[in-house]
Structure formats: structure tokens, C-alpha cells
Amino acid sequence: YPNPFNPETTISFDLPKAGPANLSIYNMKGQLVKTLVDTNLDFGKQSFVWNGTDNSGTNVSSGIYFYRLSTNGGVETRKMMLMK
């Protein structure tokens, strides 16, 4: 939330148990834009903010992006829109 967003959005999710998690942002071409988290997380509610930048800190353009959450519980992909 929010979605669409400008200049940042918060991605929240619940982990049923502690373990490894990867939360990454991809563009429409399927290219990795930013890795928000790639580590072990505790169980429970987690929230991470994406400020519309790539891994090098450069602002990305307006458009549709996907976040992909991979955990022990599986993989989930959702769509979000950056509007400047």
C-alpha cells in the first residue's frame, strides 16, 4: 500500500515461521530492479518500504513493477504501479 504509489510503497506480509526470505522487485521485462531483503526473518508480520529506486540507488521510471516474495511457505508475486 498504497498502490498506485509515489514516491514509495510499503510491502507487508506475515511469516508463519522463521526462516529465509527474499523480497525482490522486477520490471515488466522480468529484470531484477531491487532486492529489498534476502536474509532470515522472524515469524510474524513483516513490512518493507520500496522508495522507487533500483539496486544502484537510481530512481526508476513510472510503470508497472512486480514484487516477488520467496519463503519456506512458497512464492508469491504481486503487481504494483509507480506513478510520478
Side-chain angles (χ1 to χ4, degrees):
Y1 66 88
N3 190 16
F5 68 96
N6 179 16
E8 64 184 33
T9 188
T10 302
I11 301 168
S12 300
F13 54 92
D14 287 316
L15 286 179
K17 60 182 179 179
N22 178 287
L23 179 60
S24 297
I25 310 295
Y26 294 86
N27 63 19
M28 288 288 290
K29 296 179 181 177
Q31 299 165 320
L32 177 65
V33 173
K34 178 118 180 180
T35 301
L36 294 179
V37 66
D38 190 15
T39 189
N40 286 320
L41 296 176
D42 291 333
F43 76 93
K45 188 161 181 68
Q46 307 288 332
S47 293
F48 296 93
V49 174
W50 182 44
N51 61 1
T53 61
D54 62 16
N55 276 329
S56 65
T58 304
N59 288 329
V60 298
S61 61
S62 295
I64 295 175
Y65 293 87
F66 298 90
Y67 72 81
R68 182 174 187 258
L69 173 64
S70 301
T71 66
N72 281 341
V75 178
E76 182 176 311
T77 303
R78 296 285 169 99
K79 182 169 59 171
M80 56 191 168
M81 182 181 296
L82 170 59
M83 295 179 66
K84 291 186 178 182

